[in-house]
Amino acid sequence: MTQLADPIQDPAIGPAPVSHLQQPSRKTLQGLCWAALSVLIFAGWFVVTRFSVTRELRLWDVTALRFGIGAVILFPVLLRGSGRMSAKQWGEGLLYACLWGMPFVLAVALGLQLTSAGRAAAVAPTLMPVFVGLFAWVFLKEQQGRGRLLGYLAIVIGLICMIAGGASAHGVANPVGLLALITAAAMWAVYTLLFRRSALTPVQAAALICFWSAVLFLPVYLFAGLSRLDLASPGEIGLQAFYQGVLMSGVAIVSFNRSVALLGPSAATAIIALIPAVAALTAIPVLGELPSWEEGVALLAVVGGVLLAARPKRKVAVPSTTTTARQQP
């Protein structure tokens, strides 16, 4: 029997493509970086929004600044692609705007108004990966694996404990507000699954979401007299304009879409469930909101669930025909 040569060292085949072997890990690292940027911006959004809506501005003003400025900044993207984007793609953008645009923001805003910043940051981002896994399993027949199922279970248990622990310190949460936040999480999950199969780039999707949301919301905002911008200070308006219009409508949407494309929807959205922990830590120095010890323990359970749910699926290596042939005596 002829001695088998090392497939990596065999001169007949040449060295193994190192870049190809390293591509999955580099891709995963890039996806984690984009997801981490999304977490930081989304977590700060709850704190920054709560900071202003407890003063002069209202949630209507925040929504107008978010999509109005975002539409202006990203509109050149639509102009450059207007000759190539079809009517179907514009309609796809309208669907995305209904799922993760103005209706999503208003649902979260209602939850913020009826509950609190901490609870809103806990419910919507935490349940979103659970809905992604559920919808992918029911409608797409995707098996999630035991590790992810345990992660989803830990997230739900941690969320329940978080709400129960907050009730002892801050009172029972408003059920309508909780329902609005759960609805927002489900809408976000549907958008995430649909975008994975989209032909739109992350920047195009962000531009279309801002454009359609501005078209749907700004006329109502202006003609109904909902603006309170004249009552706020220029510094506060500038802060909200930058955070809502630039970071949330531009950077956050693009970074989240990139993380979905690189990590897949299940892993990317599981990492997004870290938002409650980051938001709770940020709210301590900014808003003076100190979580109870029950909420702290629940946050740890959520983090543990995130780590389980974000684990990538193991792929079974299939030997190539070349390697199989070379193993013949």
Side-chain angles (χ1 to χ4, degrees):
M1 181 179 296
T2 305
Q3 184 177 2
L4 296 179
D6 188 350
I8 297 181
Q9 303 294 334
D10 189 355
I13 300 178
V18 178
S19 60
H20 176 72
L21 295 175
Q22 293 177 346
Q23 184 177 0
S25 60
R26 183 167 59 250
K27 179 180 178 182
T28 301
L29 180 60
Q30 292 174 351
L32 291 174
C33 291
W34 285 114
L37 179 60
S38 302
V39 168
L40 293 176
I41 297 176
F42 288 143
W45 180 77
F46 290 96
V47 178
V48 171
T49 302
R50 181 69 176 175
F51 177 82
S52 283
V53 297
T54 54
R55 287 166 174 78
E56 298 298 340
L57 297 182
R58 295 294 179 264
L59 296 170
W60 311 109
D61 303 302
V62 171
T63 305
L65 290 172
R66 174 170 176 174
F67 294 116
I69 296 177
V72 172
I73 294 176
L74 295 175
F75 191 69
V77 175
L78 302 180
L79 292 180
R80 290 197 301 267
S82 59
R84 295 188 298 271
M85 281 195 297
S86 62
K88 180 180 178 180
Q89 290 175 312
W90 281 91
E92 184 181 357
L94 176 60
L95 175 61
Y96 291 164
C98 293
L99 290 173
W100 204 35
M102 181 264 297
F104 170 82
V105 173
L106 292 180
V108 176
L110 180 61
L112 275 168
Q113 182 179 359
L114 297 179
T115 58
S116 66
R119 284 172 176 168
V123 176
T126 301
L127 283 181
M128 191 264 288
V130 179
F131 278 122
V132 166
L134 176 63
F135 294 158
W137 175 61
V138 174
F139 298 106
L140 304 179
K141 309 302 180 184
E142 293 185 1
Q143 299 298 323
Q144 297 301 308
R146 182 179 301 177
R148 283 186 176 174
L149 291 177
L150 291 176
Y152 297 148
L153 180 61
I155 291 174
V156 173
I157 293 177
L159 177 61
I160 294 175
C161 295
M162 192 183 306
I163 296 176
S168 60
H170 312 294
V172 180
N174 188 298
V176 177
L178 291 178
L179 180 61
L181 295 171
I182 294 173
T183 302
M187 294 166 60
W188 194 355
V190 174
Y191 163 79
T192 304
L193 291 173
L194 291 177
F195 179 76
R196 181 178 57 172
R197 292 169 169 78
S198 174
L200 296 172
T201 66
V203 178
Q204 287 176 330
L208 287 171
I209 288 174
C210 291
F211 171 79
W212 284 118
S213 297
V215 169
L216 294 173
F217 179 74
L218 288 183
V220 178
Y221 173 76
L222 295 175
F223 291 109
L226 300 176
S227 175
R228 289 172 57 95
L229 295 177
D230 56 330
L231 301 178
S233 64
E236 186 175 353
I237 295 177
L239 170 65
Q240 292 297 330
F242 175 74
Y243 207 100
Q244 306 291 340
V246 179
L247 294 183
M248 282 299 296
S249 295
V251 180
I253 295 179
V254 173
S255 61
F256 176 74
N257 290 342
R258 287 291 296 157
S259 68
V260 172
L262 293 170
L263 298 176
S266 297
T269 53
I271 297 174
I272 293 298
L274 288 172
I275 290 176
V278 179
L281 294 175
T282 308
I284 295 176
V286 177
L287 301 177
E289 296 181 357
L290 186 64
S292 62
W293 70 269
E294 296 93 342
E295 292 174 309
V297 173
L299 281 175
L300 293 178
V302 170
V303 172
V306 168
L307 295 177
L308 286 174
R311 293 176 60 187
K313 295 180 180 179
R314 292 184 177 180
K315 295 183 179 180
V316 180
V318 179
S320 63
T321 56
T322 303
T323 304
T324 304
R326 295 178 63 256
Q327 292 178 350
Q328 300 295 329

